[in-house]
Each structure stands twice: as C-alpha cells, then as structure tokens.
Amino acid sequence: MKKITRLTFLILGACLILYGLLLYSEKSEGYKSGNIVQLYNWGDYIDPDLIEKFEEESGYKVVYETYDSNEAMYTKIEQGGNSYDLAVPSDYMISKMIKNDMLIPLDYKKINGLDNIDQRFLDHSFDKKNKYSIPYFWGTLGIIYNDKFIEEGEIEHWDDLWNPKYKNNIMLIDGAREVMGLSLNSMGKSVNNTNIEDLINAKEKLDSLVPNIRAIVADEMKMYMVQEESMLAVTFSGEASEMVANNENLHYIIPPEGSNLWFDNIVIPKTAKNLDGAYALINFLLEPENAAQNAEYIGYATPNTKAMELMPEEVVTDKQFYPSKETVEHLEVYEDLGIEMLGIYNDYFLSFKMHRK
C-alpha cells in the first residue's frame, strides 16, 4: 500500500512539474520555440535587471557568458565552438575581427534608436560608418590621485608622473598599449606610433620611471587605491569611477596633451544563429530608459544622449567621466597595429616590467 501511495504521489508530482513548465513556456512563445540569445560580454557589464526585463518583454531567453580580455573573446569566437549572437569587443579588436571576416554587417533596417547615439562616437577608424558595430560604452585612460597626498593641480600632465616625490607610489595598469602610450604621449607622440626610434625612446623614458612604480596591476588596483595604499595610479575611466564612488578623496584627470579614447561596441559575430533575437536586444539597449539604467549600474559613460537626459545631472556633467568635446578631440583610439608591431610593443613593455626587478 505504501509503495502504491508513494508511486501515486510521484506521478502527481511529476504531472504538476510538467504542468508548471507548460504554463511557463506558454507565457513566452520565444521560450517555447527555443529562441535563445547568446550574449558574450565582459563580466558584470550589463544590469541583470535589464536582462530580466528584456526576457519578459521580448520572450527571448538570454544566455550570458563572460570573458576578461579582448584576446580571450577573439580566440573563443574564432574557434567557432559557440553560437554567440552578440559580443562586446573594444575598438582595436573590432578592427581585427572585421579584417578576419568574423562579423556580420549590420542591417540598419532592423535597428531602432541609432539616432540616440552622439555623432562623436560614430564613424571611427576601427569601423567606418559603423558597418559592423553599435557603441555601447566609452571612456578614457588617465590618472587617478588621492588628495590626501596630492593637491589639486599638482598633477596634470603625463610628465608629472616622473616627479621624485612619487617614489614607490604609482600604480600602472598592466597593459602594453596603455603604458607605452602614456610614455609616447608624454613626448608628444601618438599612441599608435610605429616608428621604432620613437618606441625605443618611449621605452627608455619608462625605464627612468621605475623608481616611482609601486606595482603594475589589473583589477586589484581598485582595492589598493580605495584603501589608500598608493598616492596615484594610471587606469581607465570606468575603473576610476568605481574607485571615486568608494573614496571621496580620489580624483581622476585626463592629461591635456593626449591619451586613449576607448569604445566597447556591440557586434554580431558570424557564429550568430538568432539574428532576430540579436537585433531585438540591440534595440532594447538603445532605448534611452534602458541605456540610462545600464549606465548608472555600470558606472561607465554612455554614448546615448537621450539616456543622458534621464540620468542625474551631477553624473553627466562630471568632467572626470564625461569630458568636454575639446578634451575628447585630443584623444586617440587604439588602432590595430598588426601582429608584428603589437609584438614590439609587448616586448618593450615586458622589458620595462623586467627592469623593475
């Protein structure tokens, strides 16, 4: 009798589960028909509430996978083992993916809201006329300092980093283009310089900066700066915004002689299987309300002008993270310099890092 009763309850339980799944699938035709959008993105680079909102409104299910570098993203998409419908590479990597025929040209008849994007962030060299990509977030490379140790106006230029006062007190982001670029900028040269003599001079100048370097780090820089373990650091604006939010003594500046202007854009890889879902998510993220919510969650600068109108004034008028047009005009986007030249940058940077030991 117990066996029969137990079996009955098991059958009833299974039926209830199946009924619940049926109701859930009928709630969303997209789910029932297997309409999944595979988004390949940086970690914590979209508000989870927006994903849930998109799923409820569209009927699509978002599968969210993350990477920690452009190179890791590139390799995985190149291998073709996953059918990613959308990815969010940075500028120079977009150029590389275009050259290697890894992206699908955008069908602008299916895109709504592109007119919300500031024209300053369209038609750049890495993707002329935005044939393959839609701006997602943007920012700069600059210097963050602590006003407990450094007075306002004391540090404004890249050359100021060489001040002996900062001995063993500077943290650098762990990136060849970034560190070599700041040295090149300090000499009035482009961050995309390919002149070997200029690169050698930039590397030698970096070697003279060694006494001031406390560490060359990645994500852990945020913790170190918030905890005031260093006077200043070179980092990206998005990282800096998080530091500033957690320590009121921190401030971010962009040297006027020039620096890097970076973009993370949305693209459709050739691995895509659900183009309708991909365009649906692009359009959703271009809606001002959603773009504003996403920008406030991420803390990076949005290129969506209509979204900025919905955001707190103190955020969008903060020149640290929404610099003036005049400042942006002096900034450069990293270009894809090719494997050989990138190897030279990496070799000089590695030599600089070894010089510290």
Side-chain angles (χ1 to χ4, degrees):
M1 182 66 179
K2 289 182 179 179
K3 289 182 179 180
I4 295 174
T5 303
R6 185 178 179 185
L7 179 61
T8 302
F9 278 117
L10 286 173
I11 294 172
L12 286 172
C15 289
L16 287 172
I17 291 172
L18 289 172
Y19 180 67
L21 289 172
L22 179 62
L23 288 177
Y24 182 75
S25 64
E26 288 180 349
K27 174 186 174 183
S28 166
E29 184 64 29
Y31 289 10
K32 192 171 77 171
S33 57
N35 282 346
I36 292 174
V37 180
Q38 295 203 59
L39 173 61
Y40 198 29
N41 198 0
W42 301 86
D44 199 26
Y45 208 32
I46 186 172
D47 186 342
D49 290 342
L50 283 178
I51 291 180
E52 184 176 341
K53 179 182 178 183
F54 171 74
E55 290 178 335
E56 291 177 353
E57 290 184 358
S58 69
Y60 291 108
K61 175 68 177 176
V62 176
V63 174
Y64 188 73
E65 291 189 33
T66 66
Y67 50 86
D68 58 10
S69 73
N70 279 291
E71 288 68 29
M73 176 276 307
Y74 178 91
T75 299
K76 195 164 185 181
I77 290 179
E78 183 183 39
Q79 290 172 346
N82 296 77
S83 301
Y84 297 119
D85 300 304
L86 293 171
V88 190
S90 302
D91 34 59
Y92 73 95
M93 188 55 71
I94 294 172
S95 175
K96 183 176 180 178
M97 295 176 82
I98 292 171
K99 289 179 181 177
N100 292 319
D101 194 28
M102 294 172 63
L103 302 179
I104 295 175
L106 297 174
D107 183 351
Y108 278 95
K109 294 178 181 178
K110 297 181 179 180
I111 296 177
N112 302 315
L114 189 66
D115 55 343
N116 296 335
I117 301 296
D118 190 322
Q119 292 296 309
R120 290 182 298 161
F121 307 127
L122 297 171
D123 196 29
H124 280 273
S125 59
F126 61 88
D127 182 17
K128 298 298 291 183
K129 298 183 180 180
N130 289 85
K131 185 177 179 180
Y132 296 91
S133 69
I134 300 291
Y136 184 59
F137 283 112
W138 68 278
T140 60
L141 181 77
I143 301 169
I144 188 165
Y145 70 91
N146 191 313
D147 64 18
K148 284 186 178 181
F149 314 109
I150 301 172
E151 295 182 3
E152 182 180 356
E154 182 180 323
I155 186 160
E156 296 181 341
H157 304 276
W158 290 121
D159 266 342
D160 293 333
L161 295 176
W162 276 259
N163 189 328
K165 174 182 178 179
Y166 308 133
K167 183 177 180 179
N168 196 37
N169 255 299
I170 298 176
M171 291 189 176
L172 296 180
I173 189 169
D174 191 4
R177 294 295 297 271
E178 290 74 28
V179 176
M180 285 291 292
L182 76 85
S183 187
L184 287 164
N185 277 153
S186 74
M187 301 188 302
K189 306 294 183 180
S190 167
V191 296
N192 297 307
N193 196 306
T194 57
N195 181 285
I196 297 300
E197 183 177 352
D198 288 341
L199 295 178
I200 291 173
N201 290 337
K203 190 270 178 184
E204 290 178 348
K205 185 171 183 178
L206 282 175
D207 288 343
S208 67
L209 183 63
V210 166
N212 287 5
I213 304 304
R214 184 179 185 86
I216 298 176
V217 292
D219 289 343
E220 60 270 34
M221 181 189 292
K222 287 183 284 191
M223 177 186 68
Y224 291 142
M225 290 302 296
V226 169
Q227 295 179 353
E228 301 183 342
E229 295 188 26
S230 191
M231 290 184 184
L232 68 163
V234 174
T235 189
F236 290 113
S237 57
E239 303 292 289
S241 69
E242 187 173 339
M243 299 180 210
V244 169
N246 288 289
N247 187 323
E248 63 182 9
N249 299 113
L250 296 176
H251 310 274
Y252 179 77
I253 64 105
I254 306 166
E257 55 270 23
S259 188
N260 169 232
L261 173 68
W262 59 262
F263 296 92
D264 288 337
N265 283 17
I266 303 173
V267 301
I268 302 179
K270 283 201 168 180
T271 57
K273 300 296 184 184
N274 187 352
L275 291 180
D276 288 340
Y279 283 112
L281 184 51
I282 288 174
N283 291 336
F284 176 84
L285 292 172
L286 282 172
E287 292 177 17
E289 180 182 348
N290 298 329
Q293 179 178 331
N294 207 23
E296 291 189 58
Y297 174 84
I298 302 298
Y300 282 30
T302 177
N304 193 312
T305 55
K306 296 290 180 63
M308 291 174 64
E309 295 174 4
L310 304 176
M311 296 169 62
E313 185 177 357
E314 64 269 20
V315 172
V316 298
T317 58
D318 188 341
K319 298 302 182 184
Q320 296 178 101
F321 307 114
Y322 285 87
S324 67
K325 292 182 179 181
E326 291 73 24
T327 299
V328 172
E329 287 175 358
H330 291 88
L331 306 179
E332 296 179 278
V333 176
Y334 290 140
E335 296 176 2
D336 178 16
L337 302 180
I339 295 176
E340 182 178 351
M341 186 55 61
L342 183 58
I344 293 173
Y345 269 74
N346 288 334
D347 288 345
Y348 287 163
F349 178 57
L350 179 60
S351 176
F352 161 65
K353 292 170 72 174
M354 296 298 293
H355 193 81
R356 294 181 56 246
K357 298 180 179 180

